[in-house]
Amino acid sequence: MKIAPVVLAGGKPGVFEKLTGPLPKTYVKIGGRRLYHYAAEALASIFGKVYVVAPRPEALPYTYVEERGQGIEQAIAAAESYIGAESHILLAYGDVYVDPAAYRALVEGAASAGADGAVLAVPRRATRGYGVLETRPGGLLARIGGEGQWIFGGAALLPRALAKAAAQRGLYEAVNEAAGSMKIAVVPWSGVWHDVNYPEDLVQLLEYTAPRHTYIARGAKVSPTAVVEGPVVVEEGAEIDHFAVVKGPAYIGRGAFIGAHALVRNHADVEEGAVVGSSSEVSHSLICERATVGRASFISYSVVGPDAVVEPNVVTMSVLREGRERLEPIEVRGRTYYKLGALIPRASRVQSGTALQPGTGWH
C-alpha cells in the first residue's frame, strides 16, 4: 500500500475572521506554529512527504497545492492533480489537533482488518446526525451520518478510486456509497484529539500545545533576576525583563517581550513579536503575533488577536459567580463554560481601565 498524505488547510475563515482576516482558521498560530502545521509535521515525519491544500504557500518543506474553490470536494480534486501513483490517500483535516500516533493507528487498523480503507473514530456519548459513524459487524463502517457513539475524527485512509469519487460527490456521500461494496475499517482513537470549530476552542487547545520540556534559545535574553520555571520554551530574540516570572507550561515566541514584574503562567502562549507589559499577568491565554498587553493588565482564559492593543489596566474577567460559593455557567454558542475570558479581535484596541465581562467577544 503506497500512501499520499494530504492535509486540508483551506476554506473560508468564518467566525475566525476576527483572528485570521481572509485566511482560513488553520492559519491561526499557537505554540509558534500554524494550526495545520501540527498535522503536516506529523504526516511528513511518518511518510517523508506531505501535500498541503492551502490558499497561501509558506517557506516550509511541504508540497503546497493551490486551493481551487471552496469545500472539501474541491480540495481533494486539487490534491489529486499533484499526487503520483500512490494507491491510497490519507486525508487529514488541518483544523483537528491529534496525537501523531493516531495517523499510524489509522494505517495499521486498515491493514490488520484487511480493509480497503479506514476512518478515524473518536468516542462520544450516544448521538446521531452529521459526522456520526454507524458501524456493522467486524468493526466496519456502515455509513456516516447515522446513530452511534463514535464521530468522524477528521482523518481517513481512502483508495484512490474512492478519493476521486469524493472529489466529485462529496466525502461523506462517496464513503457511504462505497461502504456497501468496500471494507472501510472504523479505527477507534481515545488519545489526544481536539477539533477547533470556534475561536473558544483555542483556549482548551493551549493545554495540548503547551511545552513539555524547557528550552531557552541561545539568542533569547533572560534577565538574571527573572524566574523561569519549566516547562517553558523561550524562542530566539525573546526577552524576559527584570523580576518577571514565567511559570510553565508556557510558550514565549520569537522576539516577544515580557516586561518587568510580569507574571506569565498556566498554559499561557505569547506569540512572535507580542508584548506583555510590566506588572501584567497572563494566564491560560493566547496572545497572538505582535499583540500588546499594556502594563498592569490581567488576561485570563482569553485570546488576544494579532496586532491588537490592550491598553494598561485592562481586566478580562473569566468567572461568573452566583453567590459566594457557586459558579454561574457562561453560555457561548449553546455550550457551557465555567471559565472563559474575552476574544479581542485582530488589530483592535481595548481602552485603558476596561473590565471585560466573561464571554465577551466570542459570539
Side-chain angles (χ1 to χ4, degrees):
M1 182 188 299
K2 293 185 177 179
I3 299 171
V6 176
V7 175
L8 306 180
K12 295 181 179 179
V15 293
F16 278 82
E17 187 177 8
K18 290 183 176 182
L19 297 175
T20 61
L23 293 173
K25 61 182 174 180
T26 56
Y27 275 68
V28 70
K29 274 193 171 181
I30 187 166
R33 311 173 190 176
R34 300 205 189 275
L35 180 55
Y36 78 84
H37 289 178
Y38 289 97
E41 288 180 10
L43 291 171
S45 67
I46 295 170
F47 297 100
K49 62 180 178 181
V50 65
Y51 300 89
V52 176
V53 183
R56 182 183 295 179
E58 299 180 278
L60 292 167
Y62 312 141
T63 300
Y64 279 93
V65 178
E66 182 182 0
E67 184 183 33
R68 302 171 187 170
Q70 298 290 337
I72 295 175
E73 298 79 22
Q74 295 297 322
I76 297 173
E80 268 287 341
S81 64
Y82 276 76
I83 295 171
E86 289 88 349
S87 61
H88 288 70
I89 291 179
L90 195 159
L91 288 178
Y93 287 7
D95 60 352
V96 171
Y97 178 91
V98 64
D99 189 302
Y103 300 120
R104 293 186 184 275
L106 187 67
V107 176
E108 292 169 0
S112 62
D116 302 296
V119 291
L120 193 70
V122 179
R124 284 293 181 269
R125 292 180 180 177
T127 185
R128 65 173 63 192
Y130 186 81
V132 177
L133 303 179
E134 194 171 295
T135 61
R136 55 191 174 96
L140 299 177
L141 180 69
R143 64 174 177 144
I144 304 177
E147 184 175 358
Q149 293 182 311
W150 300 94
I151 63 170
F152 178 53
L157 180 65
L158 306 176
R160 287 293 289 275
L162 179 50
K164 291 177 181 178
Q168 296 173 353
R169 298 192 295 276
L171 179 60
Y172 287 4
E173 292 78 4
V175 170
N176 284 345
E177 185 177 326
S181 57
M182 289 183 176
K183 293 175 65 176
I184 308 295
V186 174
V187 179
W189 177 254
S190 57
V192 172
W193 183 90
H194 190 63
D195 189 9
V196 181
N197 281 314
Y198 301 107
E200 55 267 27
D201 294 325
L202 295 171
V203 176
Q204 184 180 347
L205 183 59
L206 289 168
E207 299 177 17
Y208 299 126
T209 60
R212 291 172 173 78
H213 63 277
T214 294
Y215 165 78
I216 300 176
R218 184 184 297 271
K221 182 180 178 182
V222 179
S223 167
T225 58
V227 176
V228 176
E229 183 179 320
V232 173
V233 168
V234 184
E235 301 282 19
E236 287 288 338
E239 182 175 351
I240 302 176
D241 208 355
H242 290 282
F243 301 103
V245 175
V246 180
K247 188 173 182 180
Y251 173 82
I252 311 298
R254 296 177 65 90
F257 178 80
I258 309 300
H261 298 277
L263 172 59
V264 177
R265 65 182 181 90
N266 185 29
H267 300 100
D269 184 327
V270 181
E271 287 293 319
E272 182 175 357
V275 173
V276 175
S278 61
S279 302
S280 291
E281 180 176 346
V282 176
S283 173
H284 207 123
S285 295
L286 173 61
I287 312 300
C288 294
E289 314 95 274
R290 304 174 303 279
T292 298
V293 176
R295 67 178 301 279
S297 291
F298 175 68
I299 308 296
S300 175
Y301 284 80
S302 299
V303 175
V304 180
D307 300 301
V309 175
V310 176
E311 294 183 355
N313 299 295
V314 169
V315 174
T316 59
M317 299 173 65
S318 59
V319 173
L320 283 175
R321 291 204 175 272
E322 189 178 273
R324 297 187 53 153
E325 303 295 335
R326 186 175 174 184
L327 295 181
E328 182 180 344
I330 304 163
E331 298 286 341
V332 177
R333 275 182 271 269
R335 292 191 289 179
T336 299
Y337 300 87
Y338 285 90
K339 294 195 78 171
L340 186 65
L343 170 61
I344 299 171
R346 62 194 295 267
S348 63
R349 179 178 288 266
V350 181
Q351 290 187 342
S352 177
T354 301
L356 297 174
Q357 294 297 309
T360 296
W362 302 101
H363 290 283

